[in-house]
Amino acid sequence: MSTAKALLKASFGLGSFLKPPMVEAHPRAVAAPHPVMVPIRSIGPRERSRIAQHLLALAPNDRYLRFGYAASDEQIQRYVDGLDFERDELFGIYNRRLDLIAMAHLAFAPPDQHTDCAEFGVSVAEHARGRGYGARLFERAVVVARNEGVGMLFIHALSENAAMLKIARNAGATVVRTGSESEAHLQLPAATFDSRMSEIALEHYAEVDFQLKTRAKQFWAFLAGLQEIRSGVRASRGR
């Protein structure tokens, strides 16, 4: 963890996206005790099952807001199966059990279209809302989009999706409403040395955090198995 923190400190003078993502540890409390950092990790093709589990757990209304229609289990599975990890970027926030509790999809335009455009989509598990995860995922997507040469970032959302549109407006995006749908677009500055260093530092921090959580989960699983063995031995002695 110290290596990641050193990288963050070394990246002096970077934009606001490198400031620690501050969220409330207890959003329902009157005053949060301390802000915490939110590691956001790139998601690869090996984690399709986690992506599917996260999206399938969304309530019907949340699916409607995320996809713009009442997506069935089969439609969500087709979406997951069709993700292009070579072209697009996906990011996720994991809890201590390594459950994917929030994810973002940064979809780049196909080669035969405007390659300087990308689209952003996000979903957050119901129990993890109110902590600023959606906004932090958007900030991370902006960093990556800039570094990939994207000049315009789009968000297509239902007009009733107030949370998503608020994220866009707070970032300075222009929002145009057309009936039940809204479109937000944010013009991005060109990539800089700072933005590239930011992406490297943030990804490294998130990967270190993920590995620590993985080891902790394995350790607790080992202890749980050991406890089961001990319980079995005691039970056999009792008989």
Side-chain angles (χ1 to χ4, degrees), residues 204-236:
H204 183 77
Y205 172 76
E207 188 59 36
V208 169
D209 175 83
F210 186 83
Q211 292 303 324
L212 289 174
K213 288 175 179 175
T214 300
R215 293 176 185 177
K217 183 178 180 180
Q218 292 171 346
F219 176 71
W220 288 115
F222 167 76
L223 289 183
L226 191 61
Q227 185 63 33
E228 287 182 3
I229 293 174
R230 289 175 176 172
S231 298
V233 171
R234 293 194 192 101
S236 62

PDB file of all heavy atoms in Angstrom, residues 204-236:
ATOM      1  N   HIS A 204      -2.613   1.620 -10.201  1.00  0.00           N
ATOM      2  CA  HIS A 204      -1.711   0.877  -9.321  1.00  0.00           C
ATOM      3  C   HIS A 204      -2.290   0.798  -7.907  1.00  0.00           C
ATOM      4  O   HIS A 204      -2.263  -0.262  -7.272  1.00  0.00           O
ATOM      5  CB  HIS A 204      -0.337   1.545  -9.278  1.00  0.00           C
ATOM      6  CG  HIS A 204       0.664   0.807  -8.444  1.00  0.00           C
ATOM      7  ND1 HIS A 204       1.301  -0.337  -8.878  1.00  0.00           N
ATOM      8  CD2 HIS A 204       1.121   1.029  -7.183  1.00  0.00           C
ATOM      9  CE1 HIS A 204       2.111  -0.778  -7.931  1.00  0.00           C
ATOM     10  NE2 HIS A 204       2.017   0.026  -6.889  1.00  0.00           N
ATOM     11  N   TYR A 205      -2.806   1.902  -7.430  1.00  0.00           N
ATOM     12  CA  TYR A 205      -3.413   1.919  -6.096  1.00  0.00           C
ATOM     13  C   TYR A 205      -4.574   0.931  -6.015  1.00  0.00           C
ATOM     14  O   TYR A 205      -4.705   0.175  -5.046  1.00  0.00           O
ATOM     15  CB  TYR A 205      -3.898   3.328  -5.767  1.00  0.00           C
ATOM     16  CG  TYR A 205      -4.709   3.408  -4.500  1.00  0.00           C
ATOM     17  CD1 TYR A 205      -4.103   3.348  -3.254  1.00  0.00           C
ATOM     18  CD2 TYR A 205      -6.102   3.522  -4.552  1.00  0.00           C
ATOM     19  CE1 TYR A 205      -4.855   3.397  -2.084  1.00  0.00           C
ATOM     20  CE2 TYR A 205      -6.862   3.572  -3.403  1.00  0.00           C
ATOM     21  CZ  TYR A 205      -6.228   3.518  -2.168  1.00  0.00           C
ATOM     22  OH  TYR A 205      -6.978   3.552  -1.023  1.00  0.00           O
ATOM     23  N   ALA A 206      -5.415   0.919  -7.047  1.00  0.00           N
ATOM     24  CA  ALA A 206      -6.576   0.030  -7.053  1.00  0.00           C
ATOM     25  C   ALA A 206      -6.148  -1.438  -7.117  1.00  0.00           C
ATOM     26  O   ALA A 206      -6.753  -2.302  -6.482  1.00  0.00           O
ATOM     27  CB  ALA A 206      -7.487   0.363  -8.230  1.00  0.00           C
ATOM     28  N   GLU A 207      -5.099  -1.733  -7.887  1.00  0.00           N
ATOM     29  CA  GLU A 207      -4.645  -3.114  -8.012  1.00  0.00           C
ATOM     30  C   GLU A 207      -4.054  -3.618  -6.697  1.00  0.00           C
ATOM     31  O   GLU A 207      -4.287  -4.764  -6.295  1.00  0.00           O
ATOM     32  CB  GLU A 207      -3.610  -3.222  -9.128  1.00  0.00           C
ATOM     33  CG  GLU A 207      -3.209  -4.646  -9.468  1.00  0.00           C
ATOM     34  CD  GLU A 207      -4.386  -5.501  -9.919  1.00  0.00           C
ATOM     35  OE1 GLU A 207      -5.290  -4.960 -10.612  1.00  0.00           O
ATOM     36  OE2 GLU A 207      -4.405  -6.698  -9.582  1.00  0.00           O
ATOM     37  N   VAL A 208      -3.291  -2.767  -6.016  1.00  0.00           N
ATOM     38  CA  VAL A 208      -2.744  -3.151  -4.715  1.00  0.00           C
ATOM     39  C   VAL A 208      -3.887  -3.431  -3.735  1.00  0.00           C
ATOM     40  O   VAL A 208      -3.864  -4.417  -2.991  1.00  0.00           O
ATOM     41  CB  VAL A 208      -1.818  -2.048  -4.167  1.00  0.00           C
ATOM     42  CG1 VAL A 208      -1.457  -2.317  -2.708  1.00  0.00           C
ATOM     43  CG2 VAL A 208      -0.554  -1.949  -5.014  1.00  0.00           C
ATOM     44  N   ASP A 209      -4.885  -2.560  -3.725  1.00  0.00           N
ATOM     45  CA  ASP A 209      -6.038  -2.741  -2.843  1.00  0.00           C
ATOM     46  C   ASP A 209      -6.752  -4.053  -3.145  1.00  0.00           C
ATOM     47  O   ASP A 209      -7.131  -4.790  -2.225  1.00  0.00           O
ATOM     48  CB  ASP A 209      -6.995  -1.563  -3.011  1.00  0.00           C
ATOM     49  CG  ASP A 209      -8.277  -1.745  -2.225  1.00  0.00           C
ATOM     50  OD1 ASP A 209      -8.286  -1.442  -1.026  1.00  0.00           O
ATOM     51  OD2 ASP A 209      -9.281  -2.183  -2.832  1.00  0.00           O
ATOM     52  N   PHE A 210      -6.929  -4.375  -4.433  1.00  0.00           N
ATOM     53  CA  PHE A 210      -7.620  -5.604  -4.825  1.00  0.00           C
ATOM     54  C   PHE A 210      -6.843  -6.833  -4.377  1.00  0.00           C
ATOM     55  O   PHE A 210      -7.428  -7.809  -3.899  1.00  0.00           O
ATOM     56  CB  PHE A 210      -7.824  -5.621  -6.344  1.00  0.00           C
ATOM     57  CG  PHE A 210      -8.656  -6.765  -6.834  1.00  0.00           C
ATOM     58  CD1 PHE A 210     -10.039  -6.700  -6.799  1.00  0.00           C
ATOM     59  CD2 PHE A 210      -8.062  -7.920  -7.335  1.00  0.00           C
ATOM     60  CE1 PHE A 210     -10.818  -7.763  -7.248  1.00  0.00           C
ATOM     61  CE2 PHE A 210      -8.823  -8.977  -7.780  1.00  0.00           C
ATOM     62  CZ  PHE A 210     -10.208  -8.903  -7.740  1.00  0.00           C
ATOM     63  N   GLN A 211      -5.527  -6.802  -4.528  1.00  0.00           N
ATOM     64  CA  GLN A 211      -4.710  -7.947  -4.127  1.00  0.00           C
ATOM     65  C   GLN A 211      -4.768  -8.147  -2.605  1.00  0.00           C
ATOM     66  O   GLN A 211      -4.803  -9.278  -2.127  1.00  0.00           O
ATOM     67  CB  GLN A 211      -3.262  -7.747  -4.582  1.00  0.00           C
ATOM     68  CG  GLN A 211      -3.082  -7.779  -6.093  1.00  0.00           C
ATOM     69  CD  GLN A 211      -3.590  -9.062  -6.722  1.00  0.00           C
ATOM     70  OE1 GLN A 211      -3.462 -10.146  -6.141  1.00  0.00           O
ATOM     71  NE2 GLN A 211      -4.182  -8.954  -7.904  1.00  0.00           N
ATOM     72  N   LEU A 212      -4.771  -7.052  -1.860  1.00  0.00           N
ATOM     73  CA  LEU A 212      -4.882  -7.164  -0.407  1.00  0.00           C
ATOM     74  C   LEU A 212      -6.222  -7.768   0.001  1.00  0.00           C
ATOM     75  O   LEU A 212      -6.296  -8.613   0.907  1.00  0.00           O
ATOM     76  CB  LEU A 212      -4.702  -5.792   0.241  1.00  0.00           C
ATOM     77  CG  LEU A 212      -3.285  -5.208   0.215  1.00  0.00           C
ATOM     78  CD1 LEU A 212      -3.283  -3.789   0.762  1.00  0.00           C
ATOM     79  CD2 LEU A 212      -2.333  -6.083   1.015  1.00  0.00           C
ATOM     80  N   LYS A 213      -7.288  -7.336  -0.660  1.00  0.00           N
ATOM     81  CA  LYS A 213      -8.606  -7.892  -0.371  1.00  0.00           C
ATOM     82  C   LYS A 213      -8.674  -9.373  -0.738  1.00  0.00           C
ATOM     83  O   LYS A 213      -9.310 -10.179  -0.039  1.00  0.00           O
ATOM     84  CB  LYS A 213      -9.681  -7.110  -1.123  1.00  0.00           C
ATOM     85  CG  LYS A 213      -9.936  -5.718  -0.575  1.00  0.00           C
ATOM     86  CD  LYS A 213     -10.922  -4.957  -1.438  1.00  0.00           C
ATOM     87  CE  LYS A 213     -11.193  -3.563  -0.863  1.00  0.00           C
ATOM     88  NZ  LYS A 213     -12.071  -2.758  -1.747  1.00  0.00           N
ATOM     89  N   THR A 214      -8.011  -9.733  -1.848  1.00  0.00           N
ATOM     90  CA  THR A 214      -7.991 -11.130  -2.271  1.00  0.00           C
ATOM     91  C   THR A 214      -7.300 -12.004  -1.231  1.00  0.00           C
ATOM     92  O   THR A 214      -7.797 -13.072  -0.853  1.00  0.00           O
ATOM     93  CB  THR A 214      -7.275 -11.269  -3.619  1.00  0.00           C
ATOM     94  OG1 THR A 214      -7.964 -10.492  -4.615  1.00  0.00           O
ATOM     95  CG2 THR A 214      -7.236 -12.723  -4.073  1.00  0.00           C
ATOM     96  N   ARG A 215      -6.145 -11.543  -0.745  1.00  0.00           N
ATOM     97  CA  ARG A 215      -5.414 -12.311   0.260  1.00  0.00           C
ATOM     98  C   ARG A 215      -6.194 -12.402   1.568  1.00  0.00           C
ATOM     99  O   ARG A 215      -6.196 -13.452   2.226  1.00  0.00           O
ATOM    100  CB  ARG A 215      -4.054 -11.663   0.506  1.00  0.00           C
ATOM    101  CG  ARG A 215      -3.119 -11.752  -0.690  1.00  0.00           C
ATOM    102  CD  ARG A 215      -1.823 -11.023  -0.435  1.00  0.00           C
ATOM    103  NE  ARG A 215      -0.982 -11.002  -1.628  1.00  0.00           N
ATOM    104  CZ  ARG A 215       0.185 -10.379  -1.709  1.00  0.00           C
ATOM    105  NH1 ARG A 215       0.652  -9.724  -0.651  1.00  0.00           N
ATOM    106  NH2 ARG A 215       0.882 -10.414  -2.826  1.00  0.00           N
ATOM    107  N   ALA A 216      -6.834 -11.316   1.946  1.00  0.00           N
ATOM    108  CA  ALA A 216      -7.629 -11.329   3.174  1.00  0.00           C
ATOM    109  C   ALA A 216      -8.784 -12.319   3.059  1.00  0.00           C
ATOM    110  O   ALA A 216      -9.073 -13.073   4.000  1.00  0.00           O
ATOM    111  CB  ALA A 216      -8.155  -9.929   3.473  1.00  0.00           C
ATOM    112  N   LYS A 217      -9.441 -12.342   1.897  1.00  0.00           N
ATOM    113  CA  LYS A 217     -10.556 -13.268   1.695  1.00  0.00           C
ATOM    114  C   LYS A 217     -10.066 -14.708   1.764  1.00  0.00           C
ATOM    115  O   LYS A 217     -10.724 -15.572   2.373  1.00  0.00           O
ATOM    116  CB  LYS A 217     -11.223 -12.997   0.346  1.00  0.00           C
ATOM    117  CG  LYS A 217     -12.445 -13.861   0.090  1.00  0.00           C
ATOM    118  CD  LYS A 217     -13.093 -13.522  -1.237  1.00  0.00           C
ATOM    119  CE  LYS A 217     -14.318 -14.395  -1.468  1.00  0.00           C
ATOM    120  NZ  LYS A 217     -14.982 -14.098  -2.764  1.00  0.00           N
ATOM    121  N   GLN A 218      -8.927 -14.988   1.144  1.00  0.00           N
ATOM    122  CA  GLN A 218      -8.371 -16.343   1.180  1.00  0.00           C
ATOM    123  C   GLN A 218      -8.006 -16.743   2.608  1.00  0.00           C
ATOM    124  O   GLN A 218      -8.229 -17.889   3.023  1.00  0.00           O
ATOM    125  CB  GLN A 218      -7.134 -16.415   0.280  1.00  0.00           C
ATOM    126  CG  GLN A 218      -7.457 -16.274  -1.203  1.00  0.00           C
ATOM    127  CD  GLN A 218      -6.215 -16.121  -2.049  1.00  0.00           C
ATOM    128  OE1 GLN A 218      -5.120 -15.856  -1.541  1.00  0.00           O
ATOM    129  NE2 GLN A 218      -6.366 -16.285  -3.360  1.00  0.00           N
ATOM    130  N   PHE A 219      -7.453 -15.804   3.367  1.00  0.00           N
ATOM    131  CA  PHE A 219      -7.058 -16.092   4.741  1.00  0.00           C
ATOM    132  C   PHE A 219      -8.267 -16.421   5.607  1.00  0.00           C
ATOM    133  O   PHE A 219      -8.260 -17.389   6.378  1.00  0.00           O
ATOM    134  CB  PHE A 219      -6.297 -14.898   5.327  1.00  0.00           C
ATOM    135  CG  PHE A 219      -5.920 -15.060   6.767  1.00  0.00           C
ATOM    136  CD1 PHE A 219      -4.934 -15.960   7.152  1.00  0.00           C
ATOM    137  CD2 PHE A 219      -6.560 -14.319   7.755  1.00  0.00           C
ATOM    138  CE1 PHE A 219      -4.596 -16.116   8.487  1.00  0.00           C
ATOM    139  CE2 PHE A 219      -6.220 -14.469   9.091  1.00  0.00           C
ATOM    140  CZ  PHE A 219      -5.236 -15.377   9.460  1.00  0.00           C
ATOM    141  N   TRP A 220      -9.328 -15.611   5.475  1.00  0.00           N
ATOM    142  CA  TRP A 220     -10.523 -15.859   6.278  1.00  0.00           C
ATOM    143  C   TRP A 220     -11.215 -17.151   5.860  1.00  0.00           C
ATOM    144  O   TRP A 220     -11.805 -17.848   6.692  1.00  0.00           O
ATOM    145  CB  TRP A 220     -11.492 -14.687   6.174  1.00  0.00           C
ATOM    146  CG  TRP A 220     -11.013 -13.477   6.902  1.00  0.00           C
ATOM    147  CD1 TRP A 220     -10.656 -12.275   6.367  1.00  0.00           C
ATOM    148  CD2 TRP A 220     -10.804 -13.355   8.318  1.00  0.00           C
ATOM    149  NE1 TRP A 220     -10.237 -11.411   7.354  1.00  0.00           N
ATOM    150  CE2 TRP A 220     -10.312 -12.046   8.556  1.00  0.00           C
ATOM    151  CE3 TRP A 220     -10.966 -14.225   9.400  1.00  0.00           C
ATOM    152  CZ2 TRP A 220     -10.000 -11.585   9.830  1.00  0.00           C
ATOM    153  CZ3 TRP A 220     -10.654 -13.763  10.670  1.00  0.00           C
ATOM    154  CH2 TRP A 220     -10.178 -12.456  10.879  1.00  0.00           C
ATOM    155  N   ALA A 221     -11.126 -17.488   4.575  1.00  0.00           N
ATOM    156  CA  ALA A 221     -11.684 -18.765   4.118  1.00  0.00           C
ATOM    157  C   ALA A 221     -10.908 -19.934   4.730  1.00  0.00           C
ATOM    158  O   ALA A 221     -11.482 -20.953   5.129  1.00  0.00           O
ATOM    159  CB  ALA A 221     -11.639 -18.844   2.598  1.00  0.00           C
ATOM    160  N   PHE A 222      -9.577 -19.767   4.813  1.00  0.00           N
ATOM    161  CA  PHE A 222      -8.739 -20.797   5.435  1.00  0.00           C
ATOM    162  C   PHE A 222      -9.108 -20.971   6.903  1.00  0.00           C
ATOM    163  O   PHE A 222      -9.247 -22.094   7.402  1.00  0.00           O
ATOM    164  CB  PHE A 222      -7.268 -20.420   5.292  1.00  0.00           C
ATOM    165  CG  PHE A 222      -6.345 -21.231   6.160  1.00  0.00           C
ATOM    166  CD1 PHE A 222      -6.023 -22.538   5.824  1.00  0.00           C
ATOM    167  CD2 PHE A 222      -5.806 -20.685   7.319  1.00  0.00           C
ATOM    168  CE1 PHE A 222      -5.182 -23.297   6.631  1.00  0.00           C
ATOM    169  CE2 PHE A 222      -4.960 -21.427   8.126  1.00  0.00           C
ATOM    170  CZ  PHE A 222      -4.651 -22.747   7.783  1.00  0.00           C
ATOM    171  N   LEU A 223      -9.277 -19.850   7.615  1.00  0.00           N
ATOM    172  CA  LEU A 223      -9.640 -19.926   9.028  1.00  0.00           C
ATOM    173  C   LEU A 223     -11.009 -20.574   9.215  1.00  0.00           C
ATOM    174  O   LEU A 223     -11.222 -21.347  10.163  1.00  0.00           O
ATOM    175  CB  LEU A 223      -9.638 -18.531   9.645  1.00  0.00           C
ATOM    176  CG  LEU A 223      -8.271 -17.864   9.844  1.00  0.00           C
ATOM    177  CD1 LEU A 223      -8.451 -16.519  10.530  1.00  0.00           C
ATOM    178  CD2 LEU A 223      -7.348 -18.758  10.657  1.00  0.00           C
ATOM    179  N   ALA A 224     -11.934 -20.241   8.307  1.00  0.00           N
ATOM    180  CA  ALA A 224     -13.277 -20.828   8.406  1.00  0.00           C
ATOM    181  C   ALA A 224     -13.213 -22.340   8.210  1.00  0.00           C
ATOM    182  O   ALA A 224     -13.878 -23.113   8.920  1.00  0.00           O
ATOM    183  CB  ALA A 224     -14.200 -20.197   7.372  1.00  0.00           C
ATOM    184  N   GLY A 225     -12.390 -22.788   7.240  1.00  0.00           N
ATOM    185  CA  GLY A 225     -12.236 -24.225   7.014  1.00  0.00           C
ATOM    186  C   GLY A 225     -11.589 -24.913   8.194  1.00  0.00           C
ATOM    187  O   GLY A 225     -11.981 -26.028   8.580  1.00  0.00           O
ATOM    188  N   LEU A 226     -10.600 -24.244   8.774  1.00  0.00           N
ATOM    189  CA  LEU A 226      -9.926 -24.798   9.946  1.00  0.00           C
ATOM    190  C   LEU A 226     -10.897 -24.923  11.118  1.00  0.00           C
ATOM    191  O   LEU A 226     -10.882 -25.911  11.868  1.00  0.00           O
ATOM    192  CB  LEU A 226      -8.747 -23.905  10.326  1.00  0.00           C
ATOM    193  CG  LEU A 226      -7.773 -24.446  11.368  1.00  0.00           C
ATOM    194  CD1 LEU A 226      -7.114 -25.726  10.880  1.00  0.00           C
ATOM    195  CD2 LEU A 226      -6.716 -23.392  11.690  1.00  0.00           C
ATOM    196  N   GLN A 227     -11.760 -23.937  11.264  1.00  0.00           N
ATOM    197  CA  GLN A 227     -12.743 -23.963  12.339  1.00  0.00           C
ATOM    198  C   GLN A 227     -13.729 -25.114  12.147  1.00  0.00           C
ATOM    199  O   GLN A 227     -14.143 -25.770  13.115  1.00  0.00           O
ATOM    200  CB  GLN A 227     -13.488 -22.634  12.398  1.00  0.00           C
ATOM    201  CG  GLN A 227     -14.462 -22.509  13.554  1.00  0.00           C
ATOM    202  CD  GLN A 227     -13.752 -22.582  14.906  1.00  0.00           C
ATOM    203  OE1 GLN A 227     -12.623 -22.131  15.045  1.00  0.00           O
ATOM    204  NE2 GLN A 227     -14.420 -23.168  15.892  1.00  0.00           N
ATOM    205  N   GLU A 228     -14.100 -25.380  10.895  1.00  0.00           N
ATOM    206  CA  GLU A 228     -15.013 -26.486  10.613  1.00  0.00           C
ATOM    207  C   GLU A 228     -14.374 -27.820  10.988  1.00  0.00           C
ATOM    208  O   GLU A 228     -15.029 -28.717  11.528  1.00  0.00           O
ATOM    209  CB  GLU A 228     -15.398 -26.482   9.137  1.00  0.00           C
ATOM    210  CG  GLU A 228     -16.349 -25.363   8.753  1.00  0.00           C
ATOM    211  CD  GLU A 228     -16.737 -25.423   7.286  1.00  0.00           C
ATOM    212  OE1 GLU A 228     -16.303 -26.384   6.607  1.00  0.00           O
ATOM    213  OE2 GLU A 228     -17.449 -24.517   6.833  1.00  0.00           O
ATOM    214  N   ILE A 229     -13.068 -27.942  10.674  1.00  0.00           N
ATOM    215  CA  ILE A 229     -12.366 -29.181  11.015  1.00  0.00           C
ATOM    216  C   ILE A 229     -12.334 -29.369  12.524  1.00  0.00           C
ATOM    217  O   ILE A 229     -12.597 -30.460  13.053  1.00  0.00           O
ATOM    218  CB  ILE A 229     -10.936 -29.155  10.449  1.00  0.00           C
ATOM    219  CG1 ILE A 229     -10.978 -29.178   8.917  1.00  0.00           C
ATOM    220  CG2 ILE A 229     -10.114 -30.327  10.978  1.00  0.00           C
ATOM    221  CD1 ILE A 229      -9.633 -29.002   8.260  1.00  0.00           C
ATOM    222  N   ARG A 230     -12.012 -28.289  13.236  1.00  0.00           N
ATOM    223  CA  ARG A 230     -11.962 -28.365  14.700  1.00  0.00           C
ATOM    224  C   ARG A 230     -13.329 -28.716  15.282  1.00  0.00           C
ATOM    225  O   ARG A 230     -13.436 -29.505  16.231  1.00  0.00           O
ATOM    226  CB  ARG A 230     -11.476 -27.040  15.272  1.00  0.00           C
ATOM    227  CG  ARG A 230      -9.997 -26.774  15.010  1.00  0.00           C
ATOM    228  CD  ARG A 230      -9.611 -25.399  15.482  1.00  0.00           C
ATOM    229  NE  ARG A 230      -8.174 -25.167  15.314  1.00  0.00           N
ATOM    230  CZ  ARG A 230      -7.583 -23.975  15.505  1.00  0.00           C
ATOM    231  NH1 ARG A 230      -8.318 -22.920  15.875  1.00  0.00           N
ATOM    232  NH2 ARG A 230      -6.287 -23.854  15.344  1.00  0.00           N
ATOM    233  N   SER A 231     -14.366 -28.118  14.726  1.00  0.00           N
ATOM    234  CA  SER A 231     -15.720 -28.404  15.214  1.00  0.00           C
ATOM    235  C   SER A 231     -16.068 -29.884  14.980  1.00  0.00           C
ATOM    236  O   SER A 231     -16.708 -30.541  15.814  1.00  0.00           O
ATOM    237  CB  SER A 231     -16.738 -27.503  14.509  1.00  0.00           C
ATOM    238  OG  SER A 231     -16.481 -26.147  14.793  1.00  0.00           O
ATOM    239  N   GLY A 232     -15.642 -30.405  13.819  1.00  0.00           N
ATOM    240  CA  GLY A 232     -15.897 -31.803  13.521  1.00  0.00           C
ATOM    241  C   GLY A 232     -15.170 -32.733  14.471  1.00  0.00           C
ATOM    242  O   GLY A 232     -15.719 -33.758  14.895  1.00  0.00           O
ATOM    243  N   VAL A 233     -13.942 -32.372  14.808  1.00  0.00           N
ATOM    244  CA  VAL A 233     -13.165 -33.187  15.752  1.00  0.00           C
ATOM    245  C   VAL A 233     -13.831 -33.186  17.123  1.00  0.00           C
ATOM    246  O   VAL A 233     -13.964 -34.225  17.774  1.00  0.00           O
ATOM    247  CB  VAL A 233     -11.716 -32.657  15.856  1.00  0.00           C
ATOM    248  CG1 VAL A 233     -10.978 -33.354  17.005  1.00  0.00           C
ATOM    249  CG2 VAL A 233     -10.975 -32.873  14.545  1.00  0.00           C
ATOM    250  N   ARG A 234     -14.277 -32.008  17.571  1.00  0.00           N
ATOM    251  CA  ARG A 234     -14.950 -31.934  18.878  1.00  0.00           C
ATOM    252  C   ARG A 234     -16.239 -32.766  18.889  1.00  0.00           C
ATOM    253  O   ARG A 234     -16.552 -33.431  19.879  1.00  0.00           O
ATOM    254  CB  ARG A 234     -15.266 -30.470  19.197  1.00  0.00           C
ATOM    255  CG  ARG A 234     -14.037 -29.587  19.449  1.00  0.00           C
ATOM    256  CD  ARG A 234     -14.445 -28.275  20.093  1.00  0.00           C
ATOM    257  NE  ARG A 234     -13.346 -27.322  20.081  1.00  0.00           N
ATOM    258  CZ  ARG A 234     -13.228 -26.332  19.210  1.00  0.00           C
ATOM    259  NH1 ARG A 234     -14.167 -26.148  18.283  1.00  0.00           N
ATOM    260  NH2 ARG A 234     -12.198 -25.499  19.258  1.00  0.00           N
ATOM    261  N   ALA A 235     -16.958 -32.678  17.774  1.00  0.00           N
ATOM    262  CA  ALA A 235     -18.219 -33.426  17.701  1.00  0.00           C
ATOM    263  C   ALA A 235     -17.967 -34.922  17.747  1.00  0.00           C
ATOM    264  O   ALA A 235     -18.716 -35.677  18.403  1.00  0.00           O
ATOM    265  CB  ALA A 235     -18.956 -33.053  16.409  1.00  0.00           C
ATOM    266  N   SER A 236     -16.924 -35.391  17.055  1.00  0.00           N
ATOM    267  CA  SER A 236     -16.631 -36.832  17.056  1.00  0.00           C
ATOM    268  C   SER A 236     -16.184 -37.304  18.437  1.00  0.00           C
ATOM    269  O   SER A 236     -16.502 -38.403  18.872  1.00  0.00           O
ATOM    270  CB  SER A 236     -15.551 -37.141  16.019  1.00  0.00           C
ATOM    271  OG  SER A 236     -14.326 -36.476  16.333  1.00  0.00           O
TER     272      SER A 236
END
